[in-house]
Amino acid sequence: MKQFKSTLLLLMTAMIWGFAFVAQRAGSEFLGAFAFNGLRFVLGATSLIPVILIFEREERNRAKFKKTVLTASLAGVILFTASTLQQFGIVITQSAGKAGFITGLYMIIVPIASLILFRRKTNLLTWLGAACAVVGLYLLCINEREPAGWGEAVLLIGSFFWAAHIMVIDRFVEQISPIKFASVQFYVCGILSLICSAFTEQTTISAVQSALIPFLYSGLMSVGVAYTCQIIGQKHADPTFASIILSTESVFAAIGGAILMNETMTARGYIGCVIIFIGIILAQLKPNKSEHSIQA
């Protein structure tokens, strides 16, 4: 029963995150990238405060709190860069589905970067997954009707920053309070976005009102609700199994884009999405103990 509940919560998380790409595209029609991200991340950070009071009412530990804030501030700067590139990529490509699949490549970049930078063991499935991702990305982005452009490039660069964000969390996760960490990083990201918006964009109250539903969804659902579901769901789930379920956010992004925004791709593009998804799953699987790992 616990396993079923965890699976359901993780699937709900992936669905919420996937449809958030649609909300980001819808919000971009009224608000600039910096303003939209600033509002949604500040709202999301604030929505985690009740979650902190429920799940992290721990004893005061100044050293741990300081570590949490400092690490979260670093992660917040990386998150700001990643989310900004993602939002601009969505604006340029006008495709929630394409953004979801290209962003999802961070799940392949992480193990490969960990091998190169930290000499962490990886396996043949990871490299096979990476090969699938390259082939899928080519089919998704390169075709005669819709040649790859700046939007795809921006999303791809952003996926490297999403990978860096994951690696920072992985490096310090045992030394911090995770939900406090999340809230602080979201505040840092949101405040940096609002500062940039003040200097580069003109945001009106009417524009905020027009984008109200997209940024409420992106802030409350994608951050507050989904992050809480992830925390609870991962308690009784195998990490690899959890990663595979969460990777389906890219599928839900494509579904949401098709249903809500009438997005379409070429047959070649859909095949590319399937191959990318297969690559993401392969990169999360653990090989048999008899299979040799690859080490730098």
Side-chain angles (χ1 to χ4, degrees), residues 18-44:
F19 277 81
F21 284 96
V22 179
Q24 287 175 246
R25 183 188 161 186
S28 70
E29 296 178 5
F30 306 101
L31 292 172
F34 291 120
F36 184 79
N37 276 344
L39 290 170
R40 77 184 182 102
F41 277 111
V42 168
L43 177 63

PDB file of all heavy atoms in Angstrom, residues 18-44:
ATOM      1  N   GLY A  18       5.064  18.630 -15.442  1.00  0.00           N
ATOM      2  CA  GLY A  18       4.921  18.620 -16.891  1.00  0.00           C
ATOM      3  C   GLY A  18       3.975  19.710 -17.378  1.00  0.00           C
ATOM      4  O   GLY A  18       4.291  20.451 -18.320  1.00  0.00           O
ATOM      5  N   PHE A  19       2.831  19.838 -16.730  1.00  0.00           N
ATOM      6  CA  PHE A  19       1.858  20.856 -17.131  1.00  0.00           C
ATOM      7  C   PHE A  19       2.339  22.267 -16.788  1.00  0.00           C
ATOM      8  O   PHE A  19       1.818  23.245 -17.318  1.00  0.00           O
ATOM      9  CB  PHE A  19       0.497  20.571 -16.492  1.00  0.00           C
ATOM     10  CG  PHE A  19      -0.324  19.565 -17.252  1.00  0.00           C
ATOM     11  CD1 PHE A  19      -0.099  18.213 -17.107  1.00  0.00           C
ATOM     12  CD2 PHE A  19      -1.310  19.971 -18.134  1.00  0.00           C
ATOM     13  CE1 PHE A  19      -0.830  17.267 -17.822  1.00  0.00           C
ATOM     14  CE2 PHE A  19      -2.056  19.047 -18.851  1.00  0.00           C
ATOM     15  CZ  PHE A  19      -1.820  17.682 -18.699  1.00  0.00           C
ATOM     16  N   ALA A  20       3.344  22.370 -15.910  1.00  0.00           N
ATOM     17  CA  ALA A  20       3.909  23.684 -15.592  1.00  0.00           C
ATOM     18  C   ALA A  20       4.579  24.309 -16.814  1.00  0.00           C
ATOM     19  O   ALA A  20       4.625  25.535 -16.948  1.00  0.00           O
ATOM     20  CB  ALA A  20       4.920  23.566 -14.450  1.00  0.00           C
ATOM     21  N   PHE A  21       5.093  23.470 -17.727  1.00  0.00           N
ATOM     22  CA  PHE A  21       5.670  24.003 -18.964  1.00  0.00           C
ATOM     23  C   PHE A  21       4.603  24.727 -19.774  1.00  0.00           C
ATOM     24  O   PHE A  21       4.873  25.752 -20.402  1.00  0.00           O
ATOM     25  CB  PHE A  21       6.287  22.873 -19.801  1.00  0.00           C
ATOM     26  CG  PHE A  21       7.612  22.382 -19.288  1.00  0.00           C
ATOM     27  CD1 PHE A  21       7.683  21.270 -18.464  1.00  0.00           C
ATOM     28  CD2 PHE A  21       8.786  23.029 -19.624  1.00  0.00           C
ATOM     29  CE1 PHE A  21       8.907  20.804 -17.990  1.00  0.00           C
ATOM     30  CE2 PHE A  21      10.016  22.586 -19.160  1.00  0.00           C
ATOM     31  CZ  PHE A  21      10.074  21.474 -18.328  1.00  0.00           C
ATOM     32  N   VAL A  22       3.391  24.188 -19.756  1.00  0.00           N
ATOM     33  CA  VAL A  22       2.274  24.826 -20.452  1.00  0.00           C
ATOM     34  C   VAL A  22       1.950  26.168 -19.786  1.00  0.00           C
ATOM     35  O   VAL A  22       1.726  27.179 -20.463  1.00  0.00           O
ATOM     36  CB  VAL A  22       1.033  23.912 -20.447  1.00  0.00           C
ATOM     37  CG1 VAL A  22      -0.131  24.593 -21.165  1.00  0.00           C
ATOM     38  CG2 VAL A  22       1.358  22.571 -21.085  1.00  0.00           C
ATOM     39  N   ALA A  23       1.931  26.167 -18.443  1.00  0.00           N
ATOM     40  CA  ALA A  23       1.656  27.403 -17.712  1.00  0.00           C
ATOM     41  C   ALA A  23       2.725  28.458 -18.011  1.00  0.00           C
ATOM     42  O   ALA A  23       2.420  29.649 -18.154  1.00  0.00           O
ATOM     43  CB  ALA A  23       1.592  27.115 -16.211  1.00  0.00           C
ATOM     44  N   GLN A  24       3.969  28.020 -18.112  1.00  0.00           N
ATOM     45  CA  GLN A  24       5.050  28.962 -18.413  1.00  0.00           C
ATOM     46  C   GLN A  24       4.875  29.569 -19.806  1.00  0.00           C
ATOM     47  O   GLN A  24       5.127  30.757 -20.001  1.00  0.00           O
ATOM     48  CB  GLN A  24       6.410  28.247 -18.326  1.00  0.00           C
ATOM     49  CG  GLN A  24       6.837  27.942 -16.897  1.00  0.00           C
ATOM     50  CD  GLN A  24       8.117  27.128 -16.846  1.00  0.00           C
ATOM     51  OE1 GLN A  24       8.105  25.975 -16.404  1.00  0.00           O
ATOM     52  NE2 GLN A  24       9.215  27.684 -17.297  1.00  0.00           N
ATOM     53  N   ARG A  25       4.475  28.748 -20.749  1.00  0.00           N
ATOM     54  CA  ARG A  25       4.255  29.281 -22.104  1.00  0.00           C
ATOM     55  C   ARG A  25       3.073  30.253 -22.108  1.00  0.00           C
ATOM     56  O   ARG A  25       3.129  31.317 -22.722  1.00  0.00           O
ATOM     57  CB  ARG A  25       4.001  28.131 -23.092  1.00  0.00           C
ATOM     58  CG  ARG A  25       3.845  28.671 -24.509  1.00  0.00           C
ATOM     59  CD  ARG A  25       3.393  27.652 -25.526  1.00  0.00           C
ATOM     60  NE  ARG A  25       2.862  28.343 -26.678  1.00  0.00           N
ATOM     61  CZ  ARG A  25       2.280  27.746 -27.706  1.00  0.00           C
ATOM     62  NH1 ARG A  25       2.162  26.445 -27.731  1.00  0.00           N
ATOM     63  NH2 ARG A  25       1.810  28.453 -28.716  1.00  0.00           N
ATOM     64  N   ALA A  26       1.985  29.879 -21.410  1.00  0.00           N
ATOM     65  CA  ALA A  26       0.804  30.748 -21.361  1.00  0.00           C
ATOM     66  C   ALA A  26       1.140  32.070 -20.669  1.00  0.00           C
ATOM     67  O   ALA A  26       0.736  33.146 -21.119  1.00  0.00           O
ATOM     68  CB  ALA A  26      -0.324  30.036 -20.627  1.00  0.00           C
ATOM     69  N   GLY A  27       1.905  32.000 -19.571  1.00  0.00           N
ATOM     70  CA  GLY A  27       2.270  33.213 -18.849  1.00  0.00           C
ATOM     71  C   GLY A  27       3.175  34.130 -19.639  1.00  0.00           C
ATOM     72  O   GLY A  27       3.137  35.354 -19.476  1.00  0.00           O
ATOM     73  N   SER A  28       3.979  33.551 -20.534  1.00  0.00           N
ATOM     74  CA  SER A  28       4.915  34.358 -21.323  1.00  0.00           C
ATOM     75  C   SER A  28       4.199  35.281 -22.302  1.00  0.00           C
ATOM     76  O   SER A  28       4.803  36.220 -22.832  1.00  0.00           O
ATOM     77  CB  SER A  28       5.874  33.439 -22.091  1.00  0.00           C
ATOM     78  OG  SER A  28       5.197  32.742 -23.132  1.00  0.00           O
ATOM     79  N   GLU A  29       2.925  35.033 -22.563  1.00  0.00           N
ATOM     80  CA  GLU A  29       2.165  35.887 -23.464  1.00  0.00           C
ATOM     81  C   GLU A  29       1.821  37.223 -22.828  1.00  0.00           C
ATOM     82  O   GLU A  29       1.480  38.186 -23.529  1.00  0.00           O
ATOM     83  CB  GLU A  29       0.885  35.174 -23.904  1.00  0.00           C
ATOM     84  CG  GLU A  29       1.139  33.905 -24.716  1.00  0.00           C
ATOM     85  CD  GLU A  29      -0.131  33.192 -25.104  1.00  0.00           C
ATOM     86  OE1 GLU A  29      -1.227  33.733 -24.815  1.00  0.00           O
ATOM     87  OE2 GLU A  29      -0.053  32.097 -25.705  1.00  0.00           O
ATOM     88  N   PHE A  30       1.933  37.306 -21.499  1.00  0.00           N
ATOM     89  CA  PHE A  30       1.558  38.535 -20.795  1.00  0.00           C
ATOM     90  C   PHE A  30       2.715  39.159 -20.002  1.00  0.00           C
ATOM     91  O   PHE A  30       2.766  40.375 -19.829  1.00  0.00           O
ATOM     92  CB  PHE A  30       0.404  38.243 -19.827  1.00  0.00           C
ATOM     93  CG  PHE A  30      -0.775  37.590 -20.477  1.00  0.00           C
ATOM     94  CD1 PHE A  30      -0.988  36.221 -20.356  1.00  0.00           C
ATOM     95  CD2 PHE A  30      -1.669  38.322 -21.248  1.00  0.00           C
ATOM     96  CE1 PHE A  30      -2.075  35.607 -20.960  1.00  0.00           C
ATOM     97  CE2 PHE A  30      -2.756  37.715 -21.856  1.00  0.00           C
ATOM     98  CZ  PHE A  30      -2.953  36.352 -21.726  1.00  0.00           C
ATOM     99  N   LEU A  31       3.627  38.309 -19.522  1.00  0.00           N
ATOM    100  CA  LEU A  31       4.718  38.796 -18.672  1.00  0.00           C
ATOM    101  C   LEU A  31       6.066  38.433 -19.273  1.00  0.00           C
ATOM    102  O   LEU A  31       6.210  37.402 -19.917  1.00  0.00           O
ATOM    103  CB  LEU A  31       4.615  38.185 -17.264  1.00  0.00           C
ATOM    104  CG  LEU A  31       3.440  38.617 -16.392  1.00  0.00           C
ATOM    105  CD1 LEU A  31       3.405  37.764 -15.126  1.00  0.00           C
ATOM    106  CD2 LEU A  31       3.551  40.086 -16.025  1.00  0.00           C
ATOM    107  N   GLY A  32       7.064  39.286 -19.026  1.00  0.00           N
ATOM    108  CA  GLY A  32       8.417  38.984 -19.445  1.00  0.00           C
ATOM    109  C   GLY A  32       8.954  37.805 -18.662  1.00  0.00           C
ATOM    110  O   GLY A  32       8.428  37.447 -17.596  1.00  0.00           O
ATOM    111  N   ALA A  33      10.013  37.204 -19.160  1.00  0.00           N
ATOM    112  CA  ALA A  33      10.581  36.009 -18.535  1.00  0.00           C
ATOM    113  C   ALA A  33      10.991  36.264 -17.091  1.00  0.00           C
ATOM    114  O   ALA A  33      10.738  35.444 -16.199  1.00  0.00           O
ATOM    115  CB  ALA A  33      11.785  35.520 -19.348  1.00  0.00           C
ATOM    116  N   PHE A  34      11.632  37.406 -16.833  1.00  0.00           N
ATOM    117  CA  PHE A  34      12.100  37.706 -15.479  1.00  0.00           C
ATOM    118  C   PHE A  34      10.935  37.953 -14.524  1.00  0.00           C
ATOM    119  O   PHE A  34      10.929  37.451 -13.387  1.00  0.00           O
ATOM    120  CB  PHE A  34      13.024  38.926 -15.488  1.00  0.00           C
ATOM    121  CG  PHE A  34      14.349  38.689 -16.146  1.00  0.00           C
ATOM    122  CD1 PHE A  34      14.740  39.442 -17.244  1.00  0.00           C
ATOM    123  CD2 PHE A  34      15.221  37.710 -15.684  1.00  0.00           C
ATOM    124  CE1 PHE A  34      15.971  39.228 -17.864  1.00  0.00           C
ATOM    125  CE2 PHE A  34      16.449  37.484 -16.289  1.00  0.00           C
ATOM    126  CZ  PHE A  34      16.822  38.249 -17.389  1.00  0.00           C
ATOM    127  N   ALA A  35       9.941  38.694 -14.978  1.00  0.00           N
ATOM    128  CA  ALA A  35       8.799  38.994 -14.113  1.00  0.00           C
ATOM    129  C   ALA A  35       8.022  37.721 -13.770  1.00  0.00           C
ATOM    130  O   ALA A  35       7.647  37.504 -12.608  1.00  0.00           O
ATOM    131  CB  ALA A  35       7.878  40.010 -14.798  1.00  0.00           C
ATOM    132  N   PHE A  36       7.789  36.892 -14.779  1.00  0.00           N
ATOM    133  CA  PHE A  36       7.025  35.666 -14.546  1.00  0.00           C
ATOM    134  C   PHE A  36       7.755  34.758 -13.565  1.00  0.00           C
ATOM    135  O   PHE A  36       7.149  34.261 -12.594  1.00  0.00           O
ATOM    136  CB  PHE A  36       6.799  34.932 -15.870  1.00  0.00           C
ATOM    137  CG  PHE A  36       5.933  33.707 -15.735  1.00  0.00           C
ATOM    138  CD1 PHE A  36       4.558  33.819 -15.647  1.00  0.00           C
ATOM    139  CD2 PHE A  36       6.496  32.443 -15.678  1.00  0.00           C
ATOM    140  CE1 PHE A  36       3.753  32.694 -15.511  1.00  0.00           C
ATOM    141  CE2 PHE A  36       5.713  31.312 -15.539  1.00  0.00           C
ATOM    142  CZ  PHE A  36       4.334  31.432 -15.462  1.00  0.00           C
ATOM    143  N   ASN A  37       9.049  34.546 -13.782  1.00  0.00           N
ATOM    144  CA  ASN A  37       9.817  33.697 -12.882  1.00  0.00           C
ATOM    145  C   ASN A  37       9.910  34.294 -11.488  1.00  0.00           C
ATOM    146  O   ASN A  37       9.828  33.576 -10.483  1.00  0.00           O
ATOM    147  CB  ASN A  37      11.224  33.462 -13.439  1.00  0.00           C
ATOM    148  CG  ASN A  37      11.276  32.333 -14.452  1.00  0.00           C
ATOM    149  OD1 ASN A  37      10.352  31.529 -14.539  1.00  0.00           O
ATOM    150  ND2 ASN A  37      12.338  32.284 -15.228  1.00  0.00           N
ATOM    151  N   GLY A  38      10.098  35.600 -11.417  1.00  0.00           N
ATOM    152  CA  GLY A  38      10.200  36.245 -10.112  1.00  0.00           C
ATOM    153  C   GLY A  38       8.955  36.044  -9.279  1.00  0.00           C
ATOM    154  O   GLY A  38       9.021  35.651  -8.097  1.00  0.00           O
ATOM    155  N   LEU A  39       7.807  36.270  -9.891  1.00  0.00           N
ATOM    156  CA  LEU A  39       6.546  36.140  -9.166  1.00  0.00           C
ATOM    157  C   LEU A  39       6.285  34.691  -8.747  1.00  0.00           C
ATOM    158  O   LEU A  39       5.896  34.418  -7.611  1.00  0.00           O
ATOM    159  CB  LEU A  39       5.394  36.651 -10.038  1.00  0.00           C
ATOM    160  CG  LEU A  39       5.360  38.166 -10.283  1.00  0.00           C
ATOM    161  CD1 LEU A  39       4.331  38.517 -11.349  1.00  0.00           C
ATOM    162  CD2 LEU A  39       5.070  38.916  -8.985  1.00  0.00           C
ATOM    163  N   ARG A  40       6.516  33.754  -9.668  1.00  0.00           N
ATOM    164  CA  ARG A  40       6.176  32.363  -9.351  1.00  0.00           C
ATOM    165  C   ARG A  40       7.122  31.749  -8.321  1.00  0.00           C
ATOM    166  O   ARG A  40       6.697  30.979  -7.471  1.00  0.00           O
ATOM    167  CB  ARG A  40       6.122  31.516 -10.616  1.00  0.00           C
ATOM    168  CG  ARG A  40       7.441  31.097 -11.235  1.00  0.00           C
ATOM    169  CD  ARG A  40       7.195  30.342 -12.544  1.00  0.00           C
ATOM    170  NE  ARG A  40       8.407  29.854 -13.177  1.00  0.00           N
ATOM    171  CZ  ARG A  40       8.817  28.593 -13.127  1.00  0.00           C
ATOM    172  NH1 ARG A  40       8.131  27.698 -12.436  1.00  0.00           N
ATOM    173  NH2 ARG A  40       9.915  28.216 -13.748  1.00  0.00           N
ATOM    174  N   PHE A  41       8.390  32.120  -8.352  1.00  0.00           N
ATOM    175  CA  PHE A  41       9.319  31.530  -7.388  1.00  0.00           C
ATOM    176  C   PHE A  41       9.162  32.138  -5.995  1.00  0.00           C
ATOM    177  O   PHE A  41       9.290  31.431  -4.993  1.00  0.00           O
ATOM    178  CB  PHE A  41      10.763  31.665  -7.880  1.00  0.00           C
ATOM    179  CG  PHE A  41      11.162  30.591  -8.853  1.00  0.00           C
ATOM    180  CD1 PHE A  41      11.397  30.884 -10.185  1.00  0.00           C
ATOM    181  CD2 PHE A  41      11.278  29.272  -8.437  1.00  0.00           C
ATOM    182  CE1 PHE A  41      11.752  29.895 -11.088  1.00  0.00           C
ATOM    183  CE2 PHE A  41      11.631  28.268  -9.328  1.00  0.00           C
ATOM    184  CZ  PHE A  41      11.865  28.581 -10.662  1.00  0.00           C
ATOM    185  N   VAL A  42       8.873  33.427  -5.918  1.00  0.00           N
ATOM    186  CA  VAL A  42       8.618  34.037  -4.608  1.00  0.00           C
ATOM    187  C   VAL A  42       7.344  33.450  -4.006  1.00  0.00           C
ATOM    188  O   VAL A  42       7.291  33.123  -2.813  1.00  0.00           O
ATOM    189  CB  VAL A  42       8.512  35.569  -4.725  1.00  0.00           C
ATOM    190  CG1 VAL A  42       7.968  36.171  -3.429  1.00  0.00           C
ATOM    191  CG2 VAL A  42       9.875  36.173  -5.029  1.00  0.00           C
ATOM    192  N   LEU A  43       6.319  33.291  -4.836  1.00  0.00           N
ATOM    193  CA  LEU A  43       5.076  32.675  -4.363  1.00  0.00           C
ATOM    194  C   LEU A  43       5.330  31.228  -3.929  1.00  0.00           C
ATOM    195  O   LEU A  43       4.858  30.794  -2.874  1.00  0.00           O
ATOM    196  CB  LEU A  43       4.030  32.712  -5.476  1.00  0.00           C
ATOM    197  CG  LEU A  43       2.686  32.041  -5.172  1.00  0.00           C
ATOM    198  CD1 LEU A  43       1.987  32.733  -4.024  1.00  0.00           C
ATOM    199  CD2 LEU A  43       1.795  32.046  -6.421  1.00  0.00           C
ATOM    200  N   GLY A  44       6.095  30.495  -4.736  1.00  0.00           N
ATOM    201  CA  GLY A  44       6.391  29.103  -4.403  1.00  0.00           C
ATOM    202  C   GLY A  44       7.180  28.976  -3.115  1.00  0.00           C
ATOM    203  O   GLY A  44       6.914  28.086  -2.296  1.00  0.00           O
TER     204      GLY A  44
END
